[in-house]
Amino acid sequence: MTKREMVCVSCPIGCAVTVELDDNNEVVSVKGNTCPRGDKYARQECTHPERMLTSTVKLEGGKLPVISVKSASPIPKEMLFEAMKEINKVTLKAPVKIGDIVIKDILGTGVDIIATNES
Amino acid sequence: MLSYDLAVIGGGPAGMAAALKAREEGIEKIIILERADTLGGILEQCIHTGFGLHYFGEELSGPEYAGRFIKQVYDTDIEVKTDTMVLDISKDNVVTACNNVDGLITIKATAIVLAMGCRERPRGALSIAGSRASGIMTAGTAQKYVNINGYMPGKTVVILGSGDIGLIMARRMTLEGAKVKAVCELMPYSGGLTRNIVQCLEDFGIPLRLSCTVVKTHGKERLEGVTVANVDENLKPIPGTEEYIPCDTLMLSVGLIPENELSKNAGIELDRITNGPSVDEYRETLHKGVFACGNVLQVHDLVDYVTQESQIAGEGAAKYIKGEKKTGEYVKTQGENGVRYIVPQRINRETDKDVKLYFRVGKVFKNVRLSVKCGDEVIMSRNKKKMTPGEMENILIKLDTIKSLPSGSTITVTVEEA
């Protein structure tokens, strides 16, 4: 049995969470979180860490030269840099609306990259 | 002269929430005056997520959070003047502003909400030795270059100060291919949220050097490197600990200053700790009919709390305009034993709602008891596992308690051994 201390990054409160793992690295218990998101985060972090990715993509015909985008949900942490490469290949044409899909199913994660601003 | 019930100065999250709340409370003639060319304020360049978890229960980016309020504002008949600079607020609540469409305008407003936000402490405030090479900028300026203007301000970066914007930019620059060599923090603790230390630094192996500062910048035309040194308990650099770090960019994330030039000119009394106006529970300043909310009042960590605070100010302004706002005796609030300040600074004993006291502590506390006292009597208390200067705290005072406080009394928020 091992204990792992971590800070939940689901929201800015940043709860200090303690996770107990058994000898097969299976999560036995999660303590210290103040909401269900903390439990989910801690379990995920011990098995397969994920992060939200935000960036910008080039924009043509808009007021500004770039427009902000995000992953619609968290993607595997180790894929962040590879996903950035894909995002930096894209050029959008105005008009763009909040929620427009910029890249569908990025790197086969099942997660879309979507616009977070208007052009 | 134009005439309005309510003039809101600043169209960021604070100004928009205050205006919308006043509208909801039945105030008809409202105008928002905004310096930039769009509503939304600094959120437009904060493309990272984490906004709205409390208020909307969703993880939004800055532009998305702002976008929801911008849409609401334009769905009402609240007037908006962008590209408009407010120059002056007079003693009798006349606002003077200018823009390139109307020229110089004067607005007589029954109530005014100050929502000008804050700005970053600049390099000049730090007295770092070195020439004026390019490549030295605040983290917020760098954020604007990358996220709004679409270009990279440098390739190798050192960040001084561990405020949230600095941490966010460490991650942003790294994702865009720059090498962030270190984040140096003068204090023995970080000024940013723990979550940002984890997901912006630890995730990318960026070292956070506590009790460390930049003592010199090198390079004439372009920054070539910085000398960093550890500091002692008096925050003075320790001779012999200097280390040269080559870099082409130095970003500063060393604190935010409420932008109160207008308030000062209007003679509005400021709190010397928050650098924002001193206010009552509805965020009315000591200048009748002038309210303040958001980062111009106190620097917040979370926009969700800015929205909540601004709704209180909007509701207060609406009450004032309708002649329903109580004017009676006040009790004062104060912080003690490491509680640096309290907002609001005073509470009307005749108020009609519970009041949340917001504050920050001056150092890191672990396993302590937070108490609210009136004289020797403990009104309420609760145990706190951890409090840090980087995270704003709050404690709720019930309406019954406020009503029971003796007139002329002061309530004190204090930290004690658990």
PDB file of all heavy atoms in Angstrom, chain B residues 281-304:
ATOM      1  N   GLU B 281     -20.722  47.406   2.867  1.00  0.00           N
ATOM      2  CA  GLU B 281     -21.078  46.049   2.445  1.00  0.00           C
ATOM      3  C   GLU B 281     -21.695  45.997   1.041  1.00  0.00           C
ATOM      4  O   GLU B 281     -21.702  44.951   0.412  1.00  0.00           O
ATOM      5  CB  GLU B 281     -21.986  45.389   3.491  1.00  0.00           C
ATOM      6  CG  GLU B 281     -23.452  45.806   3.491  1.00  0.00           C
ATOM      7  CD  GLU B 281     -23.721  47.165   4.133  1.00  0.00           C
ATOM      8  OE1 GLU B 281     -22.762  47.877   4.477  1.00  0.00           O
ATOM      9  OE2 GLU B 281     -24.905  47.518   4.281  1.00  0.00           O
ATOM     10  N   TYR B 282     -22.214  47.139   0.547  1.00  0.00           N
ATOM     11  CA  TYR B 282     -22.711  47.185  -0.837  1.00  0.00           C
ATOM     12  C   TYR B 282     -21.675  47.801  -1.773  1.00  0.00           C
ATOM     13  O   TYR B 282     -21.976  48.187  -2.881  1.00  0.00           O
ATOM     14  CB  TYR B 282     -24.041  47.939  -0.913  1.00  0.00           C
ATOM     15  CG  TYR B 282     -25.224  47.032  -0.639  1.00  0.00           C
ATOM     16  CD1 TYR B 282     -25.980  47.168   0.517  1.00  0.00           C
ATOM     17  CD2 TYR B 282     -25.553  46.021  -1.524  1.00  0.00           C
ATOM     18  CE1 TYR B 282     -27.057  46.319   0.778  1.00  0.00           C
ATOM     19  CE2 TYR B 282     -26.625  45.169  -1.291  1.00  0.00           C
ATOM     20  CZ  TYR B 282     -27.364  45.316  -0.133  1.00  0.00           C
ATOM     21  OH  TYR B 282     -28.423  44.467   0.110  1.00  0.00           O
ATOM     22  N   ARG B 283     -20.445  47.886  -1.309  1.00  0.00           N
ATOM     23  CA  ARG B 283     -19.304  48.386  -2.097  1.00  0.00           C
ATOM     24  C   ARG B 283     -19.450  49.867  -2.464  1.00  0.00           C
ATOM     25  O   ARG B 283     -18.937  50.317  -3.481  1.00  0.00           O
ATOM     26  CB  ARG B 283     -19.093  47.548  -3.376  1.00  0.00           C
ATOM     27  CG  ARG B 283     -18.972  46.029  -3.134  1.00  0.00           C
ATOM     28  CD  ARG B 283     -17.852  45.700  -2.172  1.00  0.00           C
ATOM     29  NE  ARG B 283     -17.613  44.263  -2.055  1.00  0.00           N
ATOM     30  CZ  ARG B 283     -18.143  43.472  -1.105  1.00  0.00           C
ATOM     31  NH1 ARG B 283     -18.969  43.970  -0.186  1.00  0.00           N
ATOM     32  NH2 ARG B 283     -17.836  42.195  -1.047  1.00  0.00           N
ATOM     33  N   GLU B 284     -20.174  50.636  -1.588  1.00  0.00           N
ATOM     34  CA  GLU B 284     -20.220  52.083  -1.781  1.00  0.00           C
ATOM     35  C   GLU B 284     -18.986  52.692  -1.122  1.00  0.00           C
ATOM     36  O   GLU B 284     -18.635  52.356   0.005  1.00  0.00           O
ATOM     37  CB  GLU B 284     -21.494  52.694  -1.171  1.00  0.00           C
ATOM     38  CG  GLU B 284     -21.654  54.181  -1.524  1.00  0.00           C
ATOM     39  CD  GLU B 284     -22.937  54.812  -0.985  1.00  0.00           C
ATOM     40  OE1 GLU B 284     -23.637  54.170  -0.169  1.00  0.00           O
ATOM     41  OE2 GLU B 284     -23.236  55.958  -1.364  1.00  0.00           O
ATOM     42  N   THR B 285     -18.312  53.571  -1.864  1.00  0.00           N
ATOM     43  CA  THR B 285     -17.124  54.233  -1.321  1.00  0.00           C
ATOM     44  C   THR B 285     -17.576  55.308  -0.333  1.00  0.00           C
ATOM     45  O   THR B 285     -18.775  55.486  -0.089  1.00  0.00           O
ATOM     46  CB  THR B 285     -16.320  54.902  -2.443  1.00  0.00           C
ATOM     47  OG1 THR B 285     -17.089  55.988  -2.968  1.00  0.00           O
ATOM     48  CG2 THR B 285     -16.004  53.921  -3.572  1.00  0.00           C
ATOM     49  N   LEU B 286     -16.632  56.058   0.197  1.00  0.00           N
ATOM     50  CA  LEU B 286     -16.998  57.131   1.117  1.00  0.00           C
ATOM     51  C   LEU B 286     -17.514  58.358   0.366  1.00  0.00           C
ATOM     52  O   LEU B 286     -17.895  59.351   0.959  1.00  0.00           O
ATOM     53  CB  LEU B 286     -15.801  57.495   2.012  1.00  0.00           C
ATOM     54  CG  LEU B 286     -15.515  56.435   3.087  1.00  0.00           C
ATOM     55  CD1 LEU B 286     -14.120  56.575   3.645  1.00  0.00           C
ATOM     56  CD2 LEU B 286     -16.552  56.489   4.207  1.00  0.00           C
ATOM     57  N   HIS B 287     -17.512  58.268  -0.962  1.00  0.00           N
ATOM     58  CA  HIS B 287     -18.053  59.329  -1.805  1.00  0.00           C
ATOM     59  C   HIS B 287     -19.471  58.896  -2.176  1.00  0.00           C
ATOM     60  O   HIS B 287     -19.664  57.895  -2.864  1.00  0.00           O
ATOM     61  CB  HIS B 287     -17.156  59.444  -3.049  1.00  0.00           C
ATOM     62  CG  HIS B 287     -17.500  60.562  -3.957  1.00  0.00           C
ATOM     63  ND1 HIS B 287     -16.584  61.494  -4.352  1.00  0.00           N
ATOM     64  CD2 HIS B 287     -18.662  60.894  -4.561  1.00  0.00           C
ATOM     65  CE1 HIS B 287     -17.175  62.363  -5.158  1.00  0.00           C
ATOM     66  NE2 HIS B 287     -18.431  62.008  -5.305  1.00  0.00           N
ATOM     67  N   LYS B 288     -20.467  59.620  -1.723  1.00  0.00           N
ATOM     68  CA  LYS B 288     -21.876  59.211  -1.859  1.00  0.00           C
ATOM     69  C   LYS B 288     -22.247  58.869  -3.301  1.00  0.00           C
ATOM     70  O   LYS B 288     -21.983  59.653  -4.215  1.00  0.00           O
ATOM     71  CB  LYS B 288     -22.778  60.341  -1.386  1.00  0.00           C
ATOM     72  CG  LYS B 288     -23.582  59.986  -0.156  1.00  0.00           C
ATOM     73  CD  LYS B 288     -24.507  61.111   0.225  1.00  0.00           C
ATOM     74  CE  LYS B 288     -25.747  60.657   0.965  1.00  0.00           C
ATOM     75  NZ  LYS B 288     -25.896  59.271   1.309  1.00  0.00           N
ATOM     76  N   GLY B 289     -22.831  57.692  -3.488  1.00  0.00           N
ATOM     77  CA  GLY B 289     -23.300  57.305  -4.823  1.00  0.00           C
ATOM     78  C   GLY B 289     -22.227  56.721  -5.723  1.00  0.00           C
ATOM     79  O   GLY B 289     -22.496  56.341  -6.842  1.00  0.00           O
ATOM     80  N   VAL B 290     -21.007  56.645  -5.219  1.00  0.00           N
ATOM     81  CA  VAL B 290     -19.937  56.040  -6.030  1.00  0.00           C
ATOM     82  C   VAL B 290     -19.577  54.676  -5.438  1.00  0.00           C
ATOM     83  O   VAL B 290     -19.231  54.580  -4.253  1.00  0.00           O
ATOM     84  CB  VAL B 290     -18.687  56.934  -6.106  1.00  0.00           C
ATOM     85  CG1 VAL B 290     -17.589  56.246  -6.920  1.00  0.00           C
ATOM     86  CG2 VAL B 290     -19.038  58.281  -6.730  1.00  0.00           C
ATOM     87  N   PHE B 291     -19.700  53.643  -6.254  1.00  0.00           N
ATOM     88  CA  PHE B 291     -19.454  52.271  -5.830  1.00  0.00           C
ATOM     89  C   PHE B 291     -18.199  51.749  -6.540  1.00  0.00           C
ATOM     90  O   PHE B 291     -17.791  52.306  -7.556  1.00  0.00           O
ATOM     91  CB  PHE B 291     -20.665  51.395  -6.178  1.00  0.00           C
ATOM     92  CG  PHE B 291     -21.911  51.785  -5.422  1.00  0.00           C
ATOM     93  CD1 PHE B 291     -22.620  52.938  -5.760  1.00  0.00           C
ATOM     94  CD2 PHE B 291     -22.366  51.027  -4.362  1.00  0.00           C
ATOM     95  CE1 PHE B 291     -23.752  53.314  -5.042  1.00  0.00           C
ATOM     96  CE2 PHE B 291     -23.502  51.389  -3.647  1.00  0.00           C
ATOM     97  CZ  PHE B 291     -24.197  52.545  -3.983  1.00  0.00           C
ATOM     98  N   ALA B 292     -17.593  50.688  -6.007  1.00  0.00           N
ATOM     99  CA  ALA B 292     -16.402  50.124  -6.653  1.00  0.00           C
ATOM    100  C   ALA B 292     -16.448  48.606  -6.556  1.00  0.00           C
ATOM    101  O   ALA B 292     -16.941  48.053  -5.569  1.00  0.00           O
ATOM    102  CB  ALA B 292     -15.141  50.647  -5.982  1.00  0.00           C
ATOM    103  N   CYS B 293     -15.956  47.926  -7.587  1.00  0.00           N
ATOM    104  CA  CYS B 293     -15.963  46.464  -7.563  1.00  0.00           C
ATOM    105  C   CYS B 293     -14.915  45.907  -8.518  1.00  0.00           C
ATOM    106  O   CYS B 293     -14.440  46.608  -9.406  1.00  0.00           O
ATOM    107  CB  CYS B 293     -17.335  45.924  -7.941  1.00  0.00           C
ATOM    108  SG  CYS B 293     -17.940  46.528  -9.515  1.00  0.00           S
ATOM    109  N   GLY B 294     -14.565  44.647  -8.311  1.00  0.00           N
ATOM    110  CA  GLY B 294     -13.557  43.997  -9.146  1.00  0.00           C
ATOM    111  C   GLY B 294     -12.160  44.401  -8.715  1.00  0.00           C
ATOM    112  O   GLY B 294     -11.936  44.807  -7.573  1.00  0.00           O
ATOM    113  N   ASN B 295     -11.217  44.296  -9.639  1.00  0.00           N
ATOM    114  CA  ASN B 295      -9.813  44.493  -9.274  1.00  0.00           C
ATOM    115  C   ASN B 295      -9.438  45.941  -8.945  1.00  0.00           C
ATOM    116  O   ASN B 295      -8.361  46.180  -8.428  1.00  0.00           O
ATOM    117  CB  ASN B 295      -8.904  43.962 -10.384  1.00  0.00           C
ATOM    118  CG  ASN B 295      -8.816  42.443 -10.358  1.00  0.00           C
ATOM    119  OD1 ASN B 295      -9.315  41.799  -9.433  1.00  0.00           O
ATOM    120  ND2 ASN B 295      -8.198  41.866 -11.367  1.00  0.00           N
ATOM    121  N   VAL B 296     -10.324  46.886  -9.233  1.00  0.00           N
ATOM    122  CA  VAL B 296     -10.038  48.261  -8.821  1.00  0.00           C
ATOM    123  C   VAL B 296     -10.250  48.397  -7.308  1.00  0.00           C
ATOM    124  O   VAL B 296      -9.690  49.283  -6.666  1.00  0.00           O
ATOM    125  CB  VAL B 296     -10.925  49.274  -9.592  1.00  0.00           C
ATOM    126  CG1 VAL B 296     -12.311  49.402  -8.997  1.00  0.00           C
ATOM    127  CG2 VAL B 296     -10.252  50.639  -9.631  1.00  0.00           C
ATOM    128  N   LEU B 297     -11.039  47.485  -6.747  1.00  0.00           N
ATOM    129  CA  LEU B 297     -11.337  47.514  -5.313  1.00  0.00           C
ATOM    130  C   LEU B 297     -10.322  46.676  -4.537  1.00  0.00           C
ATOM    131  O   LEU B 297      -9.790  47.092  -3.519  1.00  0.00           O
ATOM    132  CB  LEU B 297     -12.760  46.989  -5.080  1.00  0.00           C
ATOM    133  CG  LEU B 297     -13.227  46.877  -3.637  1.00  0.00           C
ATOM    134  CD1 LEU B 297     -13.228  48.235  -2.958  1.00  0.00           C
ATOM    135  CD2 LEU B 297     -14.636  46.277  -3.571  1.00  0.00           C
ATOM    136  N   GLN B 298     -10.086  45.456  -4.998  1.00  0.00           N
ATOM    137  CA  GLN B 298      -9.091  44.573  -4.408  1.00  0.00           C
ATOM    138  C   GLN B 298      -8.707  43.568  -5.498  1.00  0.00           C
ATOM    139  O   GLN B 298      -9.560  43.156  -6.283  1.00  0.00           O
ATOM    140  CB  GLN B 298      -9.645  43.837  -3.186  1.00  0.00           C
ATOM    141  CG  GLN B 298     -10.908  43.033  -3.484  1.00  0.00           C
ATOM    142  CD  GLN B 298     -11.387  42.212  -2.295  1.00  0.00           C
ATOM    143  OE1 GLN B 298     -10.631  41.904  -1.400  1.00  0.00           O
ATOM    144  NE2 GLN B 298     -12.665  41.866  -2.307  1.00  0.00           N
ATOM    145  N   VAL B 299      -7.459  43.182  -5.547  1.00  0.00           N
ATOM    146  CA  VAL B 299      -7.022  42.266  -6.604  1.00  0.00           C
ATOM    147  C   VAL B 299      -7.527  40.858  -6.273  1.00  0.00           C
ATOM    148  O   VAL B 299      -7.281  40.346  -5.194  1.00  0.00           O
ATOM    149  CB  VAL B 299      -5.493  42.289  -6.763  1.00  0.00           C
ATOM    150  CG1 VAL B 299      -5.061  41.254  -7.789  1.00  0.00           C
ATOM    151  CG2 VAL B 299      -5.035  43.682  -7.192  1.00  0.00           C
ATOM    152  N   HIS B 300      -8.292  40.298  -7.211  1.00  0.00           N
ATOM    153  CA  HIS B 300      -8.889  38.968  -7.012  1.00  0.00           C
ATOM    154  C   HIS B 300      -8.038  37.900  -7.685  1.00  0.00           C
ATOM    155  O   HIS B 300      -7.292  38.182  -8.613  1.00  0.00           O
ATOM    156  CB  HIS B 300     -10.282  38.923  -7.639  1.00  0.00           C
ATOM    157  CG  HIS B 300     -11.295  39.808  -6.974  1.00  0.00           C
ATOM    158  ND1 HIS B 300     -11.231  41.183  -7.017  1.00  0.00           N
ATOM    159  CD2 HIS B 300     -12.395  39.527  -6.251  1.00  0.00           C
ATOM    160  CE1 HIS B 300     -12.246  41.697  -6.347  1.00  0.00           C
ATOM    161  NE2 HIS B 300     -12.970  40.711  -5.866  1.00  0.00           N
ATOM    162  N   ASP B 301      -8.230  36.631  -7.258  1.00  0.00           N
ATOM    163  CA  ASP B 301      -7.608  35.495  -7.943  1.00  0.00           C
ATOM    164  C   ASP B 301      -8.541  34.980  -9.026  1.00  0.00           C
ATOM    165  O   ASP B 301      -8.102  34.482 -10.046  1.00  0.00           O
ATOM    166  CB  ASP B 301      -7.360  34.321  -6.992  1.00  0.00           C
ATOM    167  CG  ASP B 301      -6.794  34.784  -5.672  1.00  0.00           C
ATOM    168  OD1 ASP B 301      -5.953  35.683  -5.688  1.00  0.00           O
ATOM    169  OD2 ASP B 301      -7.234  34.251  -4.628  1.00  0.00           O
ATOM    170  N   LEU B 302      -9.841  35.045  -8.749  1.00  0.00           N
ATOM    171  CA  LEU B 302     -10.810  34.383  -9.613  1.00  0.00           C
ATOM    172  C   LEU B 302     -11.843  35.367 -10.135  1.00  0.00           C
ATOM    173  O   LEU B 302     -12.406  36.147  -9.369  1.00  0.00           O
ATOM    174  CB  LEU B 302     -11.575  33.298  -8.826  1.00  0.00           C
ATOM    175  CG  LEU B 302     -10.760  32.215  -8.152  1.00  0.00           C
ATOM    176  CD1 LEU B 302     -11.698  31.143  -7.624  1.00  0.00           C
ATOM    177  CD2 LEU B 302      -9.779  31.608  -9.123  1.00  0.00           C
ATOM    178  N   VAL B 303     -12.110  35.283 -11.428  1.00  0.00           N
ATOM    179  CA  VAL B 303     -13.095  36.189 -12.012  1.00  0.00           C
ATOM    180  C   VAL B 303     -14.487  35.886 -11.475  1.00  0.00           C
ATOM    181  O   VAL B 303     -15.328  36.769 -11.372  1.00  0.00           O
ATOM    182  CB  VAL B 303     -13.047  36.127 -13.556  1.00  0.00           C
ATOM    183  CG1 VAL B 303     -13.591  34.826 -14.092  1.00  0.00           C
ATOM    184  CG2 VAL B 303     -13.791  37.300 -14.153  1.00  0.00           C
ATOM    185  N   ASP B 304     -14.723  34.625 -11.095  1.00  0.00           N
ATOM    186  CA  ASP B 304     -16.026  34.264 -10.538  1.00  0.00           C
ATOM    187  C   ASP B 304     -16.352  35.138  -9.321  1.00  0.00           C
ATOM    188  O   ASP B 304     -17.489  35.561  -9.128  1.00  0.00           O
ATOM    189  CB  ASP B 304     -16.041  32.789 -10.109  1.00  0.00           C
ATOM    190  CG  ASP B 304     -15.707  31.863 -11.260  1.00  0.00           C
ATOM    191  OD1 ASP B 304     -14.573  31.936 -11.760  1.00  0.00           O
ATOM    192  OD2 ASP B 304     -16.571  31.066 -11.653  1.00  0.00           O
TER     193      ASP B 304
END
